[in-house]
Amino acid sequence: MFKKILIANRGEIALRVIRACRELGISTVAVYSEADRYSLAVKYADEAVCIGPPPSKESYLNIPRILAAAEVTGADAIHPGYGFLAENTNFAEICATSGITFIGPSPAAINAMGDKALAKETMRKAGVPVVPGSDGVISEVKLAKKIAEDIGYPVIIKATAGGGGRGMRIVREAGDLETAFRTASAEAESAFGNPAVYIEKYLEEPRHVEIQVMGDQFGTVLHFGERDCSVQRRHQKLVEESPSPAVTTKIREAMGNAAIKGSKSVKYVGAGTIEFLLDKNKNFYFMEMNTRIQVEHPVTEEVLGVDLVKTQIEVAAGKRLDKAKPIPEGHAIECRINVEDPNHDFRPSPGKITAFHFPGGHGVRVDTHAYDGYEIPPYYDSLIAKLIVHSSTREEAVEKMYHALDEFVIEGVKTTIPFHRKLMKNDRFRSGKFDTKFIETFDFKD
Ligand code: MV4
């Protein structure tokens, strides 16, 4: 097992990793920017090293400084959390050549899944269902036109370097294809330095359902069921739950097996997520693979009773996965509490927390780095807490969430708590029959 892990992250996930390390008897190193000097990660870790000024580029994305911190403290592994360097092939490679274990999959697996067209090709070859479209990237508008005629409109043009909704164009008729192709490609070039795009059939109103996978160094890959993340706004997830109200035992098994096949084809090690689009006819298609622990991992942990962060550290250290599949129990929901104003287009609302009280009780979990008097820096993302509830049925979980949200007090900044309270009372949400377009039509303003 590792002796010392450096956490190359901040916020709630840094605390989550520190806690897992403590339980495993591993000492911890927090790295922090000047804006995070008074963070709980700095307080809770055994050691802390300042790695630079507030902007991410100069601190949490600064590879030489993070590696220097690992070297001076003698850390033998780095946990990247999510975001920042978690899916950076170059970083994973440099860790390896520096003799430090990167807690995650191989650089080759990160790279293959980071290029979206390559990821799709890799999955298709492994026998995972993919959306009909081009084989890989296309450089000619003429070819794009031909493919669109073949598969039929509407189609969607996606940047291969994109992901998470950036660099996409929906095209509903042939006359709009050329402009969309050129603007998508130009946008991809300026955003990612890579103009390559691919094209596929556009599915109307799909659900976003993802499978949690875990692989060890001996070729075993397990799936830990699905999470439904259809409640999103501008590609930002707001609520996640498990199981999905739309997934039957049969679909779960098929999706889980597809996810395992796809993961094995890239010799996947560690925690990963395969995202699928689930259409109205309950056909599912590979969308993207995330090669990291995700924000929403706790809903899976609550339903299965497993600690995914401890498990990912253990497999990185060479432990074998226990092949006995954990049995899912009940229903879990996570609400992301962001410091944003839902009444003003979810604009960020950083500042000082003047009162902080969080809910508790049976089946209530709060993952947060906030505290009374905490000054939220404006430089990073606005997630301040994750409220997770677990109950025996979805109905009970929704009810528990409503009351837990009611108990949550955060003063001094605007948060998404009022949005979530309205959502828990919404008939469409309560029915479980919603898709990724639902939030666009949901009236949540005061
Ligand atoms: C799609 C799609 C419909 N058809 N692809 C959005 C994020 C990026 N990862 C891919 N996305 C989509 N790809 C096809 N062929 C619809 C979306 C999409 C979406 C997907 C999941 C969750 C929310 C979404 C919101 C808008 C569009």
Side-chain angles (χ1 to χ4, degrees):
M1 188 35 84
F2 306 116
K3 287 194 168 61
K4 195 185 273 189
I5 291 178
L6 180 144
I7 299 104
N9 216 301
R10 62 178 304 282
E12 67 85 20
I13 194 64
L15 294 185
R16 175 72 187 82
V17 176
I18 290 169
R19 289 181 175 129
C21 288
R22 282 184 179 160
E23 290 177 35
L24 291 167
I26 302 165
S27 54
T28 51
V29 181
V31 291
Y32 63 96
S33 76
E34 284 160 15
D36 285 335
R37 183 150 289 158
Y38 303 105
S39 70
L40 288 185
V42 169
K43 239 194 261 301
Y44 286 12
D46 297 305
E47 293 168 76
V49 180
C50 184
I51 50 165
S56 302
K57 276 216 162 83
E58 297 174 58
S59 50
Y60 299 105
L61 290 172
N62 188 322
I63 295 175
R65 288 208 182 142
I66 291 167
L67 281 163
E71 264 148 34
V72 300
T73 56
D76 45 5
I78 295 183
H79 194 301
Y82 51 69
F84 297 123
L85 298 169
E87 293 172 281
N88 185 310
T89 306
N90 187 33
F91 181 59
E93 238 154 29
I94 294 170
C95 286
T97 55
S98 309
I100 295 166
T101 304
F102 173 82
I103 300 174
S106 67
I110 298 172
N111 187 56
M113 296 301 117
D115 182 296
K116 304 305 164 191
L118 176 61
K120 189 181 173 188
E121 271 303 285
T122 306
M123 290 297 162
R124 188 182 61 76
K125 286 181 184 150
V128 179
V130 299
V131 185
S134 59
D135 296 329
V137 298
I138 36 170
S139 44
E140 293 292 322
V141 185
K142 259 176 88 177
L143 181 60
K145 273 216 162 117
K146 194 191 165 303
I147 292 163
E149 298 300 333
D150 286 350
I151 59 180
Y153 287 89
V155 298
I156 182 165
I157 299 166
K158 294 182 176 180
T160 193
R166 294 172 309 165
M168 299 190 330
R169 280 285 183 293
I170 298 158
V171 188
R172 298 200 173 271
E173 51 195 280
D176 295 337
L177 189 91
E178 182 159 353
T179 308
F181 185 94
R182 294 192 195 288
T183 53
S185 183
E187 203 175 284
E189 166 78 74
S190 77
F192 318 113
N194 179 358
V197 296
Y198 61 106
I199 185 168
E200 61 187 32
K201 179 87 186 161
Y202 180 67
L203 309 171
E204 306 276 2
E205 292 155 30
R207 290 184 82 115
H208 172 130
V209 179
E210 58 186 33
I211 296 278
Q212 175 71 53
V213 296
M214 186 72 74
D216 69 15
Q217 295 179 26
F218 307 93
T220 298
V221 178
L222 302 179
H223 85 79
F224 289 152
E226 83 282 5
R227 294 183 287 261
D228 194 310
C229 312
S230 299
V231 178
Q232 308 198 357
R233 187 186 163 273
R234 300 195 184 158
H235 306 295
Q236 292 295 319
K237 293 169 185 164
L238 293 163
V239 177
E240 305 95 349
E241 60 181 302
S242 186
S244 165
V247 169
T248 60
T249 307
K250 221 177 113 191
I251 300 169
R252 179 170 307 114
E253 215 171 275
M255 238 186 217
N257 287 333
I260 290 172
K261 267 198 297 189
S263 305
K264 282 187 174 171
S265 79
V266 291
K267 300 186 163 52
Y268 200 83
V269 177
T273 298
I274 305 215
E275 298 181 347
F276 292 100
L277 292 171
L278 181 66
D279 75 9
K280 287 211 167 57
N281 306 316
K282 306 249 168 167
N283 299 307
F284 63 85
Y285 307 91
F286 170 79
M287 180 164 57
E288 284 175 23
M289 181 169 192
N290 302 316
T291 56
R292 58 167 192 271
I293 191 81
Q294 287 191 272
V295 174
E296 60 270 28
H297 76 275
V299 299
T300 302
E301 294 186 323
E302 294 308 308
V303 164
L304 289 183
V306 297
D307 186 318
L308 291 171
V309 177
K310 269 163 77 173
T311 309
Q312 75 171 154
I313 293 168
E314 286 169 342
V315 298
K319 200 176 164 221
R320 268 177 204 279
L321 277 171
D322 182 352
K323 283 184 194 169
K325 258 205 80 161
I327 297 146
E329 247 186 66
H331 199 99
I333 306 175
E334 172 179 280
C335 286
R336 294 192 188 192
I337 314 298
N338 296 332
V339 282
E340 291 171 359
D341 184 352
N343 280 323
H344 291 94
D345 213 29
F346 288 79
R347 72 175 173 213
S349 171
K352 195 185 175 85
I353 294 180
T354 55
F356 193 71
H357 170 83
F358 57 81
H362 183 226
V364 178
R365 166 177 172 183
V366 180
D367 281 16
T368 183
H369 59 292
Y371 54 85
D372 203 0
Y374 177 56
E375 177 98 32
I376 302 153
Y379 306 96
Y380 314 108
D381 81 23
S382 59
L383 183 81
I384 196 72
K386 305 189 301 200
L387 172 57
I388 306 108
V389 300
H390 183 218
S391 208
S392 45
T393 64
R394 185 172 190 273
E395 290 68 32
E396 281 181 24
V398 172
E399 201 57 30
K400 193 187 284 284
M401 180 63 86
Y402 181 78
H403 295 288
L405 286 162
D406 222 13
E407 276 183 44
F408 217 137
V409 177
I410 304 179
E411 284 171 13
V413 291
K414 294 272 195 289
T415 77
T416 49
I417 292 171
F419 164 87
H420 288 299
R421 289 192 61 212
K422 288 193 181 94
L423 184 64
M424 294 306 128
K425 287 288 175 204
N426 177 271
D427 288 341
R428 183 104 185 269
F429 180 74
R430 289 175 89 106
S431 77
K433 294 189 173 71
F434 53 86
D435 54 61
T436 50
K437 289 274 163 69
F438 164 52
I439 290 305
E440 284 176 25
T441 61
F442 169 46
D443 180 20
F444 51 81
K445 289 193 184 167
D446 286 331

